Amino acid sequence: MSQSPVLQSFIAGEWLGQQAEKALVSPVNGETIYHTHAETIDFEKSLAFARKQGRTALMNMDFQSRASCLRDLGKYLIEHKESLYEISLLTGATRNDGWVDIEGGAGTLFAYASLGRRELPSGNLIHEDDAFPLGREGQFFGSHILVPRQGVAVHINAFNFPIWGMLEKFAANFLAGVPCIVKPATSTSYLTEACVRLMQTSGFLPEGSLQLIIGRTGDLLDRLEGQDMVTFTGSASTAAKLKVTPNIINNSIPFNAEADSLNCAILAPDVSVDSVEFDLFIKEVAREMTVKAGQKCTAIRRVLIPEAHVKAVSDKLSQRLAKVTVGDPHLDSVRMGALASFEQQDDVLAQLQQLLKSSQVVFGYEKDTLELHGSDAKQGAFIQPTLLLSNDPDADGGAHDIEAFGPISTLMPYKDIDHAIALAARGKGSLVTTLVTQDPHVAQKVVPALAAWHGRVHILNEVSSKESTGHGSPLPLLKHGGPGRAGGGEELGGIRGVKHYMQRAAIQGSPTMLSAVTGEFVRGGDTIETDVHPFRRYFENLQIGESLLTHRRTVTESDIVNFGCLSGDHFYMHFDDIAARDSQFEQRIAHGYFVLSAAAGLFVSPGEGPVLANYGLDTLRFITPVPIGDTIRARLTCKRKIDQGKLSPKGEPQGVVVWDVQVTNQHDELVASYDILTLVKKQSV
Ligand code: NDP
């Protein structure tokens, strides 16, 4: 039996696996580095554990506390990142490649932590949109809520990003409050295992919220139920096979797929060979070919260039690729490492042979002349960056259909921009495309056409290049996933990504009922009025619906004149009697911002108190004009409370309170309507 360690699954709170099964070989030098375990996994037990312990632990938390937990997990991983980098090198990845996987993964946890803190409420229910009346009397309202699905998320991941691939999915399902079972691709599962071990030893991972499968999924998919879901990243053929699992179809189990993608980059016709944009294009293509040895779902496989620039692009790209040092990623001098496995190397070389049937080599794969850095590299799974030129970009097959998942791209010359748009769509749906142009008119014409076929469109020019995150980087705030061949799925995209793990329901009922369900005041619902001004209450003591109806104030001409002089706003509607009479209001009216200020004057409780700061206004609308002589008053109602567990700069615990404000006139007509956001001190520390 080999000395190399046996990887373990993390199932039902325990690490499982002693007996070695499949040898996992380092693609850097061909040595066996780990074994998978031979013990079979009891998926009935695993699912039951996720549904009971996992769900209970997550439901004992809420969006805000799970967001804090993601932040703590991210910090812990960053503190221990060097141990992950060490293992990452064994996958053939350079330190740069590892950065995307390891720190990109932790970065996704941080991004979802702050999204959750900022955009999600306390509790475990999202009220998606403000309730709206469905009847004339204001007694029957409708709205939408989202609640965590009561099942398990099964994530089946690809080999290329063993950590990021897990964490970009985990961040969203965890924040939603759904436990997950992760199955990484076997060939690089040792890096995922190391990451899960860190997460578990951190002490921050709630019991049952994350389980890990090393090896096969056995009968797992057949045991799933209607509240569960599956996300998949990998080949289109496996996605096609798994999503028609009878149990998945029969129970309408959501299956989100992210599969092969023949992404392209387009050099627009307006870009001249001597421009900055031309160099940016060359740099971007070369980078996408060589980062992670081209094993990225977002890598540029098809390079669409004007026919006139074939030679210039070929020469420049070849020069750049010739400088890429290939070999053992442990060496600082190496820019491109190995493919993730020998199977991948065989697969990529086979696909290259297919591509060569309709293209020629411009720069590239020469087995014997490739200079490899590193003493054992000859035994490794390396491939030279290879640039091809398509003989007939309009023909079927070739780079429009064949994915060589390595450092291989194909130049495809186009006649004009319409031709380029048509060729881009021949990928049948991709994750991302880059358009390099200097001309906003070109972007205006091309981007909508590209958007139908591509999950993300990256527009690159000299201005954006200084901050561009690049063609190949999916970002937590932007949707990742593309139509058609790319799998038709969607991940990330900010809070959208969390909602994929939640169930949406439309709700209808009286305002008071909807307030009770959503935990948010709905206008027309019961209010609570006491002798205590709501601004005098600490965060914990404030109740949703607690309300204050203010005294009245008659708006005078002096108000308008004073406000105009103070603010410098002498707009004719407030100061020019003749012009105002000709306007739709037929008389001078008060400034909208005066109405806001006057309302604040009516509803604030001026003394020092638990309300620490006013930090904004949402949904402001001026509805009815306020002419001189009208009398206004305000109703202030506690609408929503969010406990982010934060401290004020002076160290006082505080929460966010959103107040519904309605300003009305003497006819009880709504004059202005808005939400104000305040920070309110907590009584308890
Ligand atoms: P696969 O589709 O074979 O594997 C993807 C994942 O699915 C792995 O975790 C794999 O596990 C798992 N899997 C495979 N078969 C089953 C099954 N019957 N039941 C449950 N799980 C299963 O892709 P590979 O990783 O082998 O890569 C093959 C090709 O896919 C690449 O060459 C590339 O073309 C494409 N690819 C696309 C990616 C993208 O993001 N768009 C990413 C990676 C690859 P196991 O490893 O144990 O087989």
Side-chain angles (χ1 to χ4, degrees):
M1 186 60 61
S2 157
Q3 295 303 302
S4 59
V6 176
L7 297 172
Q8 292 186 307
S9 296
F10 185 54
I11 299 293
E14 285 168 12
W15 290 96
L16 166 82
Q18 304 290 335
Q19 304 295 319
E21 191 178 63
K22 184 179 176 195
L24 301 185
V25 169
S26 168
V28 178
N29 54 19
E31 281 176 15
T32 296
I33 44 178
Y34 293 95
H35 278 86
T36 60
H37 65 79
E39 291 87 343
T40 53
I41 297 173
D42 180 346
F43 285 109
E44 187 179 2
K45 184 173 155 193
S46 164
L47 283 167
F49 192 76
R51 292 196 173 108
K52 184 128 199 299
Q53 277 86 342
R55 186 172 147 70
T56 305
L58 289 169
M59 286 302 96
N60 285 339
M61 303 168 79
D62 73 345
F63 294 121
Q64 293 297 321
S65 52
R66 289 193 296 272
S68 303
C69 186
L70 284 179
R71 185 201 52 208
D72 294 339
L73 280 167
K75 274 192 193 162
Y76 191 85
L77 290 181
I78 290 296
E79 280 160 23
H80 295 79
K81 65 182 179 181
E82 288 308 322
S83 64
L84 297 174
Y85 272 113
E86 225 170 278
I87 300 171
S88 170
L89 291 170
L90 302 176
T91 69
T94 62
R95 182 150 181 122
N96 251 352
D97 299 337
W99 183 86
V100 178
D101 193 29
I102 298 163
E103 303 198 40
T108 308
L109 299 186
F110 290 133
Y112 271 93
S114 70
L115 274 170
R117 300 286 288 262
R118 263 197 336 265
E119 295 187 25
L120 293 180
S122 303
N124 281 316
L125 178 148
I126 297 177
H127 186 196
E128 207 174 23
D129 36 36
D130 270 349
F132 43 87
L134 295 169
R136 287 178 175 211
E137 305 298 320
Q139 289 309 311
F140 189 57
F141 273 63
S143 196
H144 291 94
I145 57 169
L146 287 154
V147 293
R149 290 176 70 90
Q150 295 186 357
V152 182
V154 173
H155 301 313
I156 301 176
N157 287 339
F159 62 84
N160 50 350
F161 289 104
I163 294 181
W164 177 85
M166 168 174 66
L167 295 182
E168 60 108 7
K169 290 172 174 154
F170 167 80
N173 71 253
F174 185 85
L175 194 50
V178 173
C180 70
I181 301 175
V182 177
K183 186 253 178 293
T186 303
S187 58
T188 53
S189 54
Y190 44 91
L191 185 49
T192 317
E193 195 232 42
C195 184
V196 172
R197 276 189 194 279
L198 279 179
M199 291 167 80
Q200 199 241 337
T201 48
S202 75
F204 295 122
L205 198 63
E207 186 181 45
S209 59
L210 170 64
Q211 298 183 61
L212 172 74
I213 302 169
I214 298 291
R216 311 306 295 176
T217 50
D219 60 359
L220 174 62
L221 298 188
D222 300 325
R223 292 183 171 279
L224 297 182
E225 297 169 358
Q227 290 281 311
D228 300 328
M229 65 225 84
V230 181
T231 73
F232 173 86
T233 303
S235 63
S237 56
T238 309
K241 189 166 80 187
L242 296 186
K243 79 174 160 202
V244 296
T245 304
N247 184 46
I248 287 182
I249 293 177
N250 294 341
N251 285 299
S252 309
I253 295 168
F255 188 99
N256 189 80
E258 202 235 284
D260 311 353
S261 175
L262 294 161
N263 313 292
C264 64
I266 304 175
L267 180 69
D270 61 274
V271 177
S272 60
V273 172
D274 53 4
S275 64
V276 174
E277 277 75 11
F278 187 84
D279 288 341
L280 287 171
F281 182 79
I282 298 293
K283 214 164 132 189
E284 197 71 17
V285 173
R287 184 168 59 204
E288 285 302 315
M289 286 178 71
T290 53
V291 168
K292 197 81 193 176
Q295 303 167 103
K296 288 205 308 185
C297 51
T298 50
I300 297 168
R301 308 286 176 208
R302 300 175 299 143
V303 187
L304 309 188
I305 53 172
E307 283 179 343
H309 293 342
V310 170
K311 181 160 173 14
V313 173
S314 303
D315 290 350
K316 280 259 187 166
L317 259 178
S318 300
Q319 281 167 21
R320 210 169 170 104
L321 294 173
K323 290 189 196 142
V324 176
T325 44
V326 182
D328 186 340
H330 291 86
L331 301 175
D332 288 344
S333 57
V334 163
R335 290 286 156 269
M336 194 181 95
L339 297 188
S341 66
F342 290 91
E343 290 80 14
Q344 273 307 304
Q345 187 188 33
D346 290 346
D347 192 51
V348 170
L349 292 178
Q351 303 297 355
L352 175 60
Q353 291 311 313
Q354 291 299 315
L355 286 169
L356 283 172
K357 289 183 182 165
S358 57
S359 57
Q360 51 191 284
V361 175
V362 173
F363 177 90
Y365 184 64
E366 295 157 32
K367 214 172 187 172
D368 302 328
T369 58
L370 170 62
E371 189 196 345
L372 287 173
H373 296 245
S375 50
D376 293 336
K378 289 258 176 300
Q379 276 77 53
F382 296 95
I383 289 189
Q384 188 172 17
T386 299
L387 183 65
L388 307 177
L389 172 64
S390 167
N391 297 327
D392 178 4
D394 290 312
D396 284 337
H400 294 310
D401 287 302
I402 298 163
E403 185 188 42
F405 205 69
I408 294 169
S409 297
T410 304
L411 297 176
M412 304 193 114
Y414 68 78
K415 294 178 182 38
D416 54 32
I417 197 65
D418 289 320
H419 189 207
I421 292 171
L423 290 178
R426 294 286 298 279
K428 303 180 189 68
S430 306
L431 292 171
V432 53
T433 180
T434 285
L435 172 69
V436 178
T437 179
Q438 296 170 323
D439 185 349
H441 294 106
V442 169
Q444 188 182 33
K445 173 181 168 118
V446 176
V447 171
L450 295 177
W453 291 97
H454 299 82
R456 175 163 57 89
V457 182
H458 169 230
I459 309 165
L460 184 63
N461 67 354
E462 187 179 1
V463 176
S464 68
S465 69
K466 295 177 186 75
E467 296 186 344
S468 166
T469 46
H471 167 100
S473 304
L475 299 179
L477 290 180
L478 293 178
K479 174 199 123 163
H480 179 53
R485 185 183 173 127
E490 247 191 65
E491 294 174 342
L492 301 174
I495 290 299
R496 282 179 198 84
V498 177
K499 293 182 178 177
H500 294 149
Y501 297 95
M502 304 189 73
Q503 184 62 40
R504 177 177 293 109
I507 54 168
Q508 298 167 282
S510 73
T512 301
M513 291 297 174
L514 263 55
S515 292
V517 172
T518 61
E520 287 188 6
F521 173 70
V522 175
R523 280 188 188 167
D526 293 346
T527 52
I528 305 160
E529 292 185 47
T530 70
D531 292 341
V532 180
H533 189 291
F535 273 23
R536 309 238 57 88
R537 291 212 193 271
Y538 286 95
F539 183 82
E540 301 92 323
N541 304 335
L542 255 175
Q543 300 178 66
I544 299 296
E546 203 157 335
S547 187
L548 170 83
L549 182 63
T550 70
H551 57 283
R552 289 186 289 263
R553 168 174 182 162
T554 301
V555 176
T556 64
E557 183 178 15
S558 323
D559 288 333
I560 295 177
V561 172
N562 283 336
F563 191 81
C565 292
L566 194 66
S567 63
D569 177 350
H570 292 100
F571 193 54
Y572 73 89
M573 201 65 83
H574 318 304
F575 281 90
D576 179 340
D577 199 46
I578 297 169
R581 264 191 266 159
D582 287 344
S583 76
Q584 59 176 323
F585 304 122
E586 299 177 344
Q587 58 188 320
R588 286 166 67 197
I589 57 167
H591 303 72
Y593 297 119
F594 168 74
V595 173
L596 280 190
S597 308
L602 291 169
F603 65 64
V604 293
S605 168
E608 196 182 348
V611 175
L612 299 171
N614 165 5
Y615 77 94
L617 261 181
D618 275 346
T619 65
L620 171 64
R621 287 288 179 280
F622 296 120
I623 296 151
T624 310
V626 180
I628 295 162
D630 264 20
T631 300
I632 58 170
R633 66 176 6 181
R635 179 173 277 287
L636 173 86
T637 310
C638 176
K639 177 174 178 177
R640 187 185 311 139
K641 289 167 59 180
I642 307 163
D643 186 356
Q644 298 178 323
K646 279 196 176 167
L647 301 179
S648 75
K650 289 177 71 185
E652 301 152 314
Q654 61 182 23
V656 173
V657 177
V658 180
W659 305 86
D660 174 81
V661 182
Q662 302 176 70
V663 184
T664 48
N665 62 17
Q666 64 277 16
H667 308 297
D668 281 337
E669 293 164 330
L670 199 55
V671 162
S673 168
Y674 49 100
D675 290 348
I676 56 171
L677 302 114
T678 57
L679 298 172
V680 177
K681 201 160 40 168
K682 285 190 198 164
Q683 196 161 27
S684 57
V685 181

